Amino acid sequence: MLRFLLLFSRQGKLRLQKWFTPLSDREKKKVIRDMMMLVLPRLPRTCNFLHWKDLKIVYKRYASLYFCAGLEDQDNELLALEVLHRYVELLDKYFGNVCELDIIFNFEKAYFILDEFLMGGEILETSRFAVGVSMEEADTLQETMEEYMSKPAY
Amino acid sequence: MPAVSKGDGMRGLAVFISDIRNCKSKEAEVKRINKELANIRSKFKGDKALDGYSKKKYVCKLLFIFLLGHDIDFGHMEAVNLLSSNKYTEKQIGYLFISVLVNSNSDLIRLINNAIRNDLASRNPTFMNLALHCIANVGSREMAEAFVSDIPRILVAGETMDSVKQSAALCLLRLNRTSPDLVPMGEWTARVVHLLNDQHLGVVTAATSLITTLAQKSPEDFKTSVVLAVARLSRIVTSAAIDLQDYTYYFVAAPWLSVKLLRLLQCYPPPEDAALRSRLTECLETILNKVQEPPKSKKVQHSNAKNAVLFEAIALIIHHDSEPNLLVRACNQLGQFLQHRETNLRYLALESMCLLASSEFSHEAVKTHIETVINALKTERDVSVRQRAVDLLYAMCDRSNSKQIVAEMLSYLETADYSIREEIVLKVAILAEKYAVDYTWYVDTILNLIRIAGDYVSEEVWYRVIQIVINRDDVQGYAAKTVFEALQAPACHENLVKVGGYILGEFGNLIAGDPRSSPLVQFNLLHSKFHLCSVPTRALLLSAYIKFINLFPEVKGTIQDVLRSDSQLRNADVELQQRAVEYLRLSCIASTDILATVLEEMPPFPERESSILAKLKKKKGSSKLPDLDDVRRSVNGSTDHAENTEATETSVSNTVLAFSLYRTEPTGIITLPCDDDFRFVCKNNGVIYENQLLQIGLKSEYRQNLGRMYVFYGNKTSTQFLSFSSAVTSSDILKTHILQTVDPMIEGGAQVQQILNIECLSDFSDAPVLSIQFRYGGTLQNIAVKLPVMLNKFFQPTEMTSQDFFQRWKQLGAPRQEVQKIFKAQHQMDSDVAKAKLLGFGVALLDGVDPNPANFVGAGIVHSKTTQVGCLLRLEPNTQAQMYRLTLRTSKDSVSQRLCELLSDQF
């Protein structure tokens, strides 16, 4: 089971945080700080796995973003690496060649896509096809462009 | 503003995010956020009712601000309102806000739960999924209480959509993790197991996760899942024909499901059914074979997914630990990975091999890779890989390779990363102790550790070396010589000074014969380090000096001069000053005899778990370490350890105890008398244990096979004992239990009573053990005492005539029924005392039976629940030779034997 998933930039800006077990704000801040301190200084082509306290840390860098997951002791590191990859693929599919800005400006979508894919830290749906379908469905439920344009912007 | 490809998002939100990104400073950002918060607050408070879209937009902005790290104290109500919107995106944002910012405000929780309940009942799968996600994300106890009965129903209902089933399974899993007591097991368990047969692989994957977690807690209830899991796994792994469509990931068939199934099987032992077992073995072999096949894709995703399944299969093979063939194949495969160009695979191979090393079938196979692992330690660029190599070396270490491995670890330590030095130090210390054949090697290794990585040598490590040196007299001379030499170095670590001070103080006399290490030389060497050391070390050195005065009277004057100097007698540190004053006085006024008693060599330490091992376990969590239980057995020491050396003079008792602080661990003192307390064979009342803190007294009474014991705990100090608890361990044949627990706090000077009931089922020789634990001051005290419950306590005296006695005596004439012992009298041979003892032993004394009036004859019956054993005895004193002859005849030879042992020690 995943305990948490963090997305942060090379500059140490947190872009997405998902916690699968309840933690206090203080604990969360500590985890975030520790992860950045552990992961950011690592050289390219080193291994993607670390031990941190009683957790296994699996991380991978995609362009300017680090994807970093905390796993429980009996979890499979290689497969967690593919969980991260599958998430990137889903973001890619949705945004079309996703970049950091997409995630900044559509952070809520990044959370929704994650929710389609993981639940309670376990894999919910591994089929890219099935996840895609439910995101499409959600979008058709969204207002039409016209409806949107008629709303006043702030 | 960048073009947003999809989602026709909220323009106001995008503008706001853009503004924040354009802020040049933190202050500007805060200013912009405060402006926005004020705006949102006024919108929410305004008279005009907001439409759904605006509400959604503002809630989303608040969420963004929160995720930037700012506090949000309003907007929760608006988010809850969004939950009941009919528009999916509004509902979705509402749920997202709640999930991220949930507040324990109970009014809100009630409203949220209402919204969730409506969505769960809506039969709209998208809405149901949102609601289930919210429950899983929040996972609070209130939510669990509200929905825990609905979710299993949704999960197993026939009409539920597949995607909802998946969510329901994982939602239930999440609730089971946070509030396991609330999740009912019931008729649905069987139906959940059957989800493993579901058509939809997504449903099977989610259900497997759920079942694995539930099976870990109650394996019996989910035993049937093994058959289904093997069948499912076999279909995925072995039949190439099945098209898994989108569940094939980079040419690997359903890797997530395969791994989950292999994980589920790790909750159970190998299947007993032969057919099932061979089917599983076939799966595992196929997985091992597939790794050797040429890859179907060059993409790393392909090899990762394939190897993920492989590593999980190896984990299952290790878990079963029953198929030598598979274990060795797994080991060979991992051996290949050790030299793979992918760093990840090298890392995982090292990690998995640690587990293989603890299996008897593969331990030898793992050892063949030692050179590769040592090489990894030297050449890997990545510290996390090197750390796994250290772990593996530790796991594969045994008597045959310990010298090599310890040497390699020591040499790695010189260049090791600071972050892992302490752990390596602990590991080296443990291995050196565990595999020490000759302890000179052990002493050398630890001193090397201190030399190379003194800062990382924790107290536990140097305490331990001193414990071992004190307990083993064959190494004391060597240790003294070695520390003496090590201290010659111009700069040596303070830890070395501590070990050196302690060891020379105890055993400096063993090397004093050599003029190069004469007492004065030793003293000057130690004292040359004194001024560079911290206060605790100086205190230890002062104690070493007073020990020197006792060992070597010729340096007494020199040391007294040092103690007398102003820098000692008037030291600003109270502890140092007190030691100097008291030691100086002690050396002046005490006679040699008193000095020799007070400053006697430390007695051996009691055996206990190595404190280093405990520390390493704490550092690493408990799971990964191979069991190094026998560490305890490798140190020789006496079994009984009295309290710390007690001082004969009260004025020094403080400092002597303070000195002992350097050797006792903070966990307190464990006292375990190893022999029966023969004082209590013939009496039932008295004090059975006493130390400076606590007195334990007891009164006991016995009738037939039952006994009752009143135990009194007296607090001898003026301070409270806290967390006081007591427990009794006894064998099955002597049932002992505590009637009522004692109050956890015992006031200073107070005495409390506890009652024990005892029942004897059959004859026995092991007495029950009473263990007591309490906190005094800061330290936890552990005391274990054998309770004086012996077989003779269950005696019932029997009067009989001389004729009856001799008739029975003849009946019990079989060779093993009689036990006889001739022994020397330990006490004065007084007829009245002997009589009293025999009566206390429990038999009836028969007058006029034995022709010689000096002899004693007795009879009684030992009662136990199952049998009653008649017993006759004869005790013949010989005052001239100061000897006794004791003869016992009973119908059961073990009883004769035991009674004879007990009674013969009394005279």
Side-chain angles (χ1 to χ4, degrees):
Chain A
M1 178 197 152
L2 260 60
R3 293 278 191 88
F4 58 81
L5 174 69
L6 304 176
L7 267 62
F8 47 84
S9 69
R10 272 178 64 194
Q11 291 76 31
K13 287 264 189 197
L14 188 65
R15 296 304 181 200
L16 183 138
Q17 46 175 319
K18 183 80 182 174
W19 307 91
F20 297 107
T21 46
L23 288 180
S24 69
D25 285 347
R26 253 184 82 153
E27 290 167 313
K28 286 180 186 172
K29 286 208 172 96
K30 172 149 178 46
V31 173
I32 293 169
R33 206 179 49 234
D34 282 5
M35 286 308 113
M36 289 185 186
M37 267 168 42
L38 268 179
V39 168
L40 290 177
R42 286 176 63 84
L43 301 168
R45 301 194 56 77
T46 48
C47 111
N48 295 93
F49 314 131
L50 297 166
H51 273 218
W52 177 78
K53 298 196 173 166
D54 59 336
L55 297 185
K56 293 172 173 175
I57 306 301
V58 173
Y59 75 94
K60 186 156 182 177
R61 181 176 157 186
Y62 287 91
S64 59
L65 265 190
Y66 283 89
F67 288 64
C68 171
L71 270 64
E72 288 181 349
D73 190 50
Q74 70 270 37
D75 287 327
N76 192 309
E77 291 104 326
L78 281 175
L79 208 58
L81 209 49
E82 294 317 298
V83 167
L84 300 182
H85 186 74
R86 186 33 64 104
Y87 183 42
V88 173
E89 285 183 352
L90 292 170
L91 291 170
D92 244 357
K93 191 174 170 217
Y94 184 78
F95 290 106
N97 205 2
V98 66
C99 66
E100 194 179 338
L101 279 182
D102 290 325
I103 294 172
I104 296 171
F105 278 92
N106 299 281
F107 70 96
E108 80 282 12
K109 293 281 194 287
Y111 278 100
F112 296 150
I113 294 171
L114 190 60
D115 269 355
E116 295 291 332
F117 170 56
L118 291 175
M119 185 168 181
E122 297 282 354
I123 200 98
L124 176 64
E125 180 52 84
T126 62
S127 156
R128 192 160 43 154
F129 175 73
V131 174
V133 165
S134 64
M135 279 309 285
E136 294 286 330
E137 271 173 10
D139 273 341
T140 54
L141 289 166
Q142 187 123 355
E143 301 93 326
T144 61
M145 200 60 181
E146 253 168 282
E147 240 184 311
Y148 161 60
M149 292 304 286
S150 66
K151 306 278 190 219
Y154 160 69
Chain B
M1 194 172 79
V4 175
S5 59
K6 259 199 186 172
D8 25 329
M10 295 154 274
R11 205 158 49 136
L13 176 66
V15 171
F16 174 58
I17 295 175
S18 227
D19 283 358
I20 295 288
R21 285 175 55 77
N22 289 333
C23 288
K24 295 274 182 288
S25 66
K26 194 79 196 160
E27 291 73 34
E29 184 185 306
V30 171
K31 207 172 149 202
R32 178 70 185 86
I33 284 170
N34 284 337
K35 185 179 159 207
E36 190 65 39
L37 286 174
N39 170 52
I40 298 172
R41 203 178 264 121
S42 77
K43 294 283 185 200
F44 283 167
K45 278 192 181 152
D47 313 328
K48 226 171 41 175
L50 286 176
D51 61 6
Y53 171 81
S54 309
K55 230 184 259 173
K56 173 180 97 171
K57 183 180 70 187
Y58 294 130
V59 166
C60 212
K61 281 182 181 174
L62 286 179
L63 186 57
F64 181 80
I65 294 169
F66 177 78
L67 290 171
L68 278 180
H70 301 268
D71 284 339
I72 295 295
D73 54 4
F74 68 102
H76 300 78
M77 201 58 204
E78 284 72 15
V80 173
N81 285 339
L82 285 177
L83 297 184
S84 41
S85 163
N86 286 327
K87 287 222 168 76
Y88 180 72
T89 50
E90 289 169 16
K91 202 188 263 296
Q92 207 178 15
I93 296 286
Y95 272 124
L96 180 60
F97 185 92
I98 302 291
S99 309
V100 176
L101 262 127
V102 76
N103 192 304
S104 55
N105 186 327
S106 59
D107 292 346
L108 275 182
I109 285 286
R110 206 166 41 80
L111 292 173
I112 295 168
N113 282 356
N114 268 339
I116 292 176
R117 192 166 289 116
N118 289 337
D119 281 336
L120 283 182
S122 70
R123 294 174 173 271
N124 174 336
T126 358
F127 288 5
M128 289 173 88
N129 277 337
L130 279 180
L132 288 168
H133 264 291
C134 183
I135 301 173
N137 276 325
V138 177
S140 70
R141 206 166 165 84
E142 287 115 317
M143 278 202 183
E145 277 166 359
F147 300 109
V148 82
S149 52
D150 297 333
I151 298 169
R153 205 170 29 74
I154 295 173
L155 175 60
V156 297
E159 76 271 14
T160 308
M161 300 267 295
D162 289 334
S163 69
V164 179
K165 274 189 193 166
Q166 288 166 262
S167 302
L170 294 183
C171 187
L172 193 57
L173 163 56
R174 175 64 210 280
L175 293 186
N176 184 65
R177 282 224 172 96
T178 44
S179 328
D181 53 311
L182 292 178
V183 178
M185 294 290 183
E187 67 278 18
W188 55 269
T189 50
R191 298 177 67 183
V192 168
V193 172
H194 271 276
L195 290 177
L196 290 177
N197 275 335
D198 202 281
Q199 295 281 317
H200 190 282
L201 282 194
V203 173
V204 184
T205 310
T208 311
S209 298
L210 174 64
I211 295 168
T212 305
T213 305
L214 296 175
Q216 277 164 353
K217 287 184 181 132
S218 39
E220 264 315 291
D221 294 342
F222 293 88
K223 227 167 49 184
T224 48
S225 62
V226 174
V227 183
L228 298 180
V230 172
R232 194 94 219 192
L233 183 68
S234 161
R235 266 181 283 160
I236 298 170
V237 172
T238 54
S239 53
I242 293 185
D243 179 15
L244 298 169
Q245 293 168 340
D246 211 29
Y247 291 90
T248 301
Y249 181 82
Y250 290 89
F251 304 102
V252 180
W256 274 280
L257 179 53
S258 307
V259 165
K260 297 258 174 223
L261 291 168
L262 288 163
R263 177 91 212 109
L264 169 59
L265 291 171
Q266 287 170 59
C267 301
Y268 292 94
E272 277 164 23
D273 178 66
L276 191 62
R277 195 172 166 143
S278 77
R279 197 165 179 199
L280 179 57
T281 305
E282 190 194 350
C283 287
L284 296 171
E285 278 171 348
T286 313
I287 294 171
L288 284 167
N289 291 340
K290 275 189 183 167
V291 183
Q292 303 299 336
E293 291 169 12
K296 291 184 182 139
S297 156
K298 285 216 163 71
K299 287 243 161 82
V300 67
Q301 282 74 28
H302 171 70
S303 75
N304 277 352
K306 197 162 82 171
N307 291 326
V309 177
L310 172 73
F311 275 104
E312 205 61 48
I314 291 177
L316 180 62
I317 292 170
I318 296 172
H319 169 78
H320 283 171
D321 197 14
S322 62
E323 302 264 355
N325 175 35
L326 285 176
L327 281 161
V328 170
R329 277 196 70 183
C331 187
N332 292 341
Q333 183 58 57
L334 294 177
Q336 282 185 24
F337 283 159
L338 283 183
Q339 316 211 28
H340 202 280
R341 60 188 175 80
E342 275 273 332
T343 316
N344 286 345
L345 290 180
R346 294 198 302 274
Y347 175 98
L348 293 175
L350 289 166
E351 193 181 58
S352 292
M353 265 206 185
C354 274
L355 299 174
L356 272 178
S358 53
S359 162
E360 53 168 322
F361 299 117
S362 47
H363 183 78
E364 289 303 316
V366 171
K367 273 169 61 186
T368 59
H369 298 286
I370 185 166
E371 295 304 333
T372 319
V373 182
I374 287 172
N375 197 38
L377 199 59
K378 290 177 177 158
T379 57
E380 282 289 350
R381 293 194 311 141
D382 187 341
V383 53
S384 55
V385 183
R386 290 197 297 270
Q387 186 160 9
R388 293 290 85 76
V390 172
D391 286 350
L392 179 53
L393 284 178
Y394 178 74
M396 68 161 69
C397 190
D398 63 16
R399 215 165 276 290
S400 71
N401 56 19
S402 54
K403 291 225 161 140
Q404 185 188 8
I405 285 179
V406 166
E408 290 295 346
M409 281 192 176
L410 272 176
S411 82
Y412 173 58
L413 194 55
E414 309 223 20
T415 55
D417 311 73
Y418 296 115
S419 57
I420 59 173
R421 282 195 180 186
E422 187 184 354
E423 199 182 309
I424 298 177
V425 166
L426 292 176
K427 286 187 163 146
V428 170
I430 290 169
L431 293 178
E433 178 182 335
K434 187 177 178 195
Y435 298 113
V437 181
D438 82 82
Y439 276 83
T440 58
W441 175 68
Y442 170 76
V443 170
D444 286 342
T445 305
I446 301 294
L447 292 182
N448 258 332
L449 267 185
I450 296 176
R451 185 179 55 77
I452 296 169
D455 286 341
Y456 298 87
V457 172
S458 55
E459 286 185 333
E460 286 85 352
V461 173
W462 75 261
Y463 284 174
R464 191 70 187 157
V465 68
I466 284 172
Q467 285 177 11
I468 287 174
V469 170
I470 286 184
N471 285 7
R472 300 197 57 99
D473 42 19
D474 54 337
V475 78
Q476 288 161 355
Y478 181 80
K481 181 168 161 284
T482 318
V483 290
F484 177 77
E485 279 161 12
L487 283 170
Q488 309 280 341
C492 49
H493 196 271
E494 189 163 335
N495 277 335
L496 182 66
V497 179
K498 289 178 183 164
V499 175
Y502 201 114
I503 288 183
L504 291 181
E506 293 291 321
F507 309 114
N509 55 327
L510 299 177
I511 55 168
D514 189 326
R516 283 166 300 177
S517 54
S518 71
L520 191 62
V521 176
Q522 285 185 42
F523 171 73
N524 287 336
L525 181 61
L526 279 181
H527 199 54
S528 70
K529 315 283 179 193
F530 188 89
H531 302 281
L532 301 169
C533 291
S534 63
V535 168
T537 308
R538 289 189 197 189
L540 187 148
L541 285 178
L542 287 179
S543 296
Y545 296 170
I546 185 74
K547 291 236 163 187
F548 268 31
I549 290 185
N550 176 42
L551 290 178
F552 317 118
E554 64 266 41
V555 293
K556 184 171 173 180
T558 319
I559 293 177
Q560 281 176 331
D561 286 345
V562 168
L563 292 176
R564 206 176 281 125
S565 71
D566 278 356
S567 62
Q568 308 296 354
L569 276 190
R570 299 188 178 176
N571 197 297
D573 186 87
V574 177
E575 177 68 34
L576 293 182
Q577 192 188 83
Q578 185 178 0
R579 285 191 189 217
V581 171
E582 291 181 357
Y583 290 162
L584 183 60
R585 284 303 288 158
L586 178 67
S587 69
C588 295
I589 59 174
S591 69
T592 353
D593 280 356
I594 291 177
L595 265 187
T597 315
V598 174
L599 301 168
E600 202 181 1
E601 196 178 291
M602 282 294 177
F605 286 83
E607 282 315 302
R608 57 188 139 202
E609 184 186 33
S610 159
S611 47
I612 313 176
L613 199 60
K615 175 151 180 160
L616 185 65
K617 278 182 184 160
K618 210 166 97 191
K619 242 180 112 63
K620 294 285 280 182
S622 53
S623 54
K624 288 216 154 158
L625 280 172
D627 193 13
L628 294 180
D629 242 355
D630 42 342
V631 168
R632 285 180 292 133
R633 261 167 271 139
S634 62
V635 195
N636 139 38
S638 98
T639 42
D640 190 351
H641 183 59
E643 286 303 296
N644 300 319
T645 330
E646 287 195 31
T648 44
E649 266 189 339
T650 45
S651 71
V652 287
S653 68
N654 261 344
T655 35
V656 172
L657 283 177
F659 183 39
S660 68
L661 276 182
Y662 290 95
R663 44 165 288 244
T664 46
E665 291 154 60
T667 45
I669 295 148
I670 299 175
T671 314
L672 186 62
C674 61
D675 288 322
D676 290 297
D677 203 337
F678 283 103
R679 291 174 300 151
F680 286 87
V681 171
C682 296
K683 64 176 185 171
N684 287 335
N685 307 327
V687 173
I688 55 163
Y689 178 85
E690 187 160 9
N691 66 9
Q692 294 106 320
L693 307 177
L694 175 77
Q695 185 188 58
I696 306 175
L698 58 86
K699 279 186 188 168
S700 40
E701 51 196 44
Y702 294 89
R703 220 175 61 221
Q704 304 212 326
N705 69 322
L706 300 176
R708 170 163 289 195
M709 189 174 270
Y710 302 85
V711 185
F712 301 90
Y713 304 105
N715 180 346
K716 292 169 65 182
T717 69
S718 53
T719 350
Q720 300 163 339
F721 292 166
L722 296 173
S723 321
F724 189 94
S725 68
S726 60
V728 172
T729 41
S730 59
S731 61
D732 292 340
I733 48 175
L734 186 69
K735 286 195 177 158
T736 308
H737 70 270
I738 292 176
L739 274 192
Q740 90 283 31
T741 52
V742 194
D743 196 67
M745 191 185 75
I746 301 182
E747 291 290 350
Q751 191 183 54
V752 295
Q753 176 194 320
Q754 189 166 47
I755 303 176
L756 270 66
N757 272 357
I758 303 162
E759 185 183 10
C760 172
L761 298 187
S762 174
D763 67 287
F764 65 92
S765 49
D766 288 333
V769 176
L770 175 70
S771 338
I772 294 143
Q773 200 178 58
F774 60 91
R775 210 165 263 292
Y776 170 72
T779 46
L780 195 61
Q781 307 279 331
N782 282 302
I783 294 165
V785 189
K786 265 195 182 175
L787 289 174
V789 183
M790 297 92 173
L791 189 56
N792 65 299
K793 300 291 180 195
F794 302 96
F795 249 130
Q796 193 86 349
T798 322
E799 298 287 347
M800 56 178 74
T801 62
S802 157
Q803 198 188 354
D804 284 344
F805 183 86
F806 283 112
Q807 194 185 345
R808 289 190 197 192
W809 187 262
K810 273 182 211 150
Q811 282 168 359
L812 297 172
R816 304 197 52 191
Q817 290 174 331
E818 181 187 282
V819 174
Q820 192 170 69
K821 193 170 173 185
I822 297 165
F823 54 91
K824 198 153 184 67
Q826 314 235 347
H827 307 280
Q828 205 174 357
M829 295 180 77
D830 182 307
S831 162
D832 287 335
V833 174
K835 217 178 239 180
K837 281 187 175 168
L838 285 170
L839 288 172
F841 192 64
V843 293
L845 279 180
L846 307 179
D847 288 331
V849 171
D850 200 286
N852 180 350
N855 291 350
F856 303 95
V857 171
I861 297 168
V862 174
H863 288 263
S864 69
K865 196 176 178 192
T866 49
T867 51
Q868 301 191 351
V869 181
C871 164
L872 305 175
L873 73 81
R874 187 174 187 214
L875 180 70
E876 300 156 88
N878 179 343
T879 36
Q880 250 172 348
Q882 289 286 305
M883 300 282 277
Y884 283 104
R885 181 165 79 174
L886 174 66
T887 316
L888 272 146
R889 287 191 179 187
T890 77
S891 50
K892 202 168 172 189
D893 47 358
S894 59
V895 174
S896 308
Q897 196 68 47
R898 180 68 187 147
L899 289 176
C900 182
E901 278 167 27
L902 289 169
L903 190 57
S904 58
D905 268 62
Q906 297 301 312
F907 296 97

